[in-house]
Every structure is written in structure tokens, then in C-alpha cells.
Amino acid sequence: MFRILSFLLIVGSLIWLYNFGKKNGFTISDLFKKFFSNFKNLFNNISSLKNELFAQKIKIIKNIFYTITTSLFLVMAISAFLPAIIIGENLSGIFLLIHVSFAPFFAISLAITIVLFAHSNQFAKSDFIYQNEIEKNNLPKFNNDGYLKLIFWLIAIFSLPAIISIILNMFPLFGTEGQNILLEIHRYSTLLMFILVVLQSGYLATKFRNELK
């Protein structure tokens, strides 16, 4: 069940990203180029910290942790979903070793990233638009920034069951059935996080499309 569902949702989200990019002037290739460019500049950003003003240091630190967290998430996603979709088996062998080795670093980096970006992702009136400004009874809709903030908080929310469930699963506190339930919670939470990250990539690319070229 999870194999089929994860395959459909992952492929569906990537198709959405392709179509969304086509409509908004970017490609998936542009996203990867930007990601690898940020990753290459990671150590340059770290070394430049001491020469910057405090406000610029905070901005650089946020970019550093965002890049690290994104990189670790890709490693976690590939090592988890590749065997689940292609092989149709639970994690084992080299995939399990990679997943378990990077998991604590990802959890710490994600937590720090959420804290660093929490303030800038507070909802504001400018994040909403009305279809008709005269009819104030109309429900407002999110604009691009509003969607990005909503996705940010959803990722933060779903990261909690994803991390807590797998930590509890390591201890024999809930019996075999309980551990299986915790594993399912972890799987579906991370699947939802993957889809949210794809959505976030699309809206971020729309916001910073000029930087992708």
C-alpha cells in the first residue's frame, strides 16, 4: 500500500512542479542548478561570516542552515523512498546505514532551521488577497508569500511526528504492534514532508525566479 501510494504522490508532485515551473518560467533543472550552486558556495559563506555585519551574519547563517537541511533531506528522502518504491522492501543494507547515519544531523539541522526562519514566517495581512476588495465578507486567499509561510509551518508540524515516532520506535516500549504503528506514522509523515518540500520549491522558484537564470 505504502509503495503504491508513495510512488503516485511523489510522481504526482513532480509532475505538478514541472507544470508549475512551465507556467511560471522555470524548470526543474533550474532548481537543481541553483541548489548545487548554493551547496558549492556553502563553505565560502561560512568563511565570510567573520567579515560581515551582524544583520548580514544572521542572513548568511540562515542560508547555510537552509542549504544544509535541504541537502540532508534529499539524502534522507533518496535513501528511504528509493528502496521502498523500486524494491518494495523495508530499509536494509547500505540504504539503512545511510538513513540512520544522517538522521540525527538532519533532525538537529531541521530544528535549527525552523527556529531561524520562524519569525520571518509569521503571517501578516500582506500574505492574503481578496477576490473583491469591496465585498469584505469574501474569504481571503493566500498570495505566493502566504503559501510559502503555510508550507513552512506544515513542514514544521509534520516533522514532529516524523522525528518523534522513529525515536520512540527505537525503544521496546510499545510491543511489536506499537512499533509497526510508529513506523507507519514515520513513513507517512515523511511522505507528506516530501510533497510539501516539492511545493515549497515551486513557490520559492516563483518568488526568486530571476536568481535561477
Side-chain angles (χ1 to χ4, degrees):
M1 176 64 183
F2 179 77
R3 180 184 186 184
I4 297 172
L5 183 61
S6 58
F7 174 78
L8 292 175
L9 289 177
I10 289 173
V11 171
S13 63
L14 294 176
I15 291 173
W16 172 86
L17 182 61
Y18 171 80
N19 291 327
F20 188 77
K22 195 173 180 181
K23 188 165 131 185
N24 290 278
F26 68 89
T27 65
I28 294 178
S29 175
D30 292 332
L31 293 178
F32 275 106
K33 286 177 184 176
K34 180 62 177 176
F35 167 75
F36 286 118
S37 174
N38 289 342
F39 191 79
K40 286 179 183 177
N41 294 328
L42 185 63
F43 295 104
N44 292 333
N45 289 334
I46 294 173
S47 61
S48 67
L49 273 174
K50 60 182 178 181
N51 301 320
E52 300 291 346
L53 297 174
F54 180 76
Q56 187 64 20
K57 283 183 179 180
I58 296 298
K59 184 178 178 181
I60 293 173
I61 289 172
K62 289 170 72 173
N63 289 334
I64 288 170
F65 273 100
Y66 183 82
T67 303
I68 292 174
T69 304
T70 305
S71 304
L72 290 172
F73 181 79
L74 284 175
V75 173
M76 298 295 289
I78 292 170
S79 62
F81 293 120
L82 197 62
I85 292 173
I86 296 177
I87 306 174
E89 297 179 356
N90 292 330
L91 278 179
S92 62
I94 187 66
F95 289 108
L96 178 61
L97 182 62
I98 293 172
H99 200 76
V100 171
S101 298
F102 283 90
F105 300 105
F106 170 68
I108 294 170
S109 180
L110 177 63
I112 294 173
T113 302
I114 290 172
V115 171
L116 288 173
F117 283 87
H119 184 268
S120 60
N121 278 279
Q122 294 181 81
F123 289 106
K125 197 172 181 180
S126 58
D127 298 321
F128 301 90
I129 54 176
Y130 286 91
Q131 286 184 320
N132 189 340
E133 286 291 342
I134 299 174
E135 298 178 18
K136 295 298 183 182
N137 291 327
N138 284 350
L139 291 175
K141 292 184 178 181
F142 286 115
N143 56 24
N144 194 80
D145 286 342
Y147 278 118
L148 277 170
K149 290 179 180 181
L150 176 63
I151 292 169
F152 171 85
W153 289 113
L154 288 175
I155 290 174
I157 290 169
F158 284 113
S159 68
L160 292 176
I163 295 172
I164 294 173
S165 60
I166 203 62
I167 291 175
L168 292 176
N169 190 261
M170 296 177 183
F171 302 97
L173 301 174
F174 302 96
T176 303
E177 185 178 350
Q179 286 184 315
N180 288 334
I181 293 173
L182 288 170
L183 183 59
E184 291 300 303
I185 292 173
H186 178 73
R187 282 176 170 177
Y188 286 101
S189 298
T190 52
L191 178 58
L192 287 171
M193 286 178 65
F194 179 89
I195 295 167
L196 288 167
V197 168
V198 172
L199 294 176
Q200 185 187 56
S201 301
Y203 285 107
L204 276 175
T206 302
K207 184 176 181 178
F208 302 108
R209 74 184 75 181
N210 293 331
E211 298 180 18
L212 294 176
K213 303 300 180 183

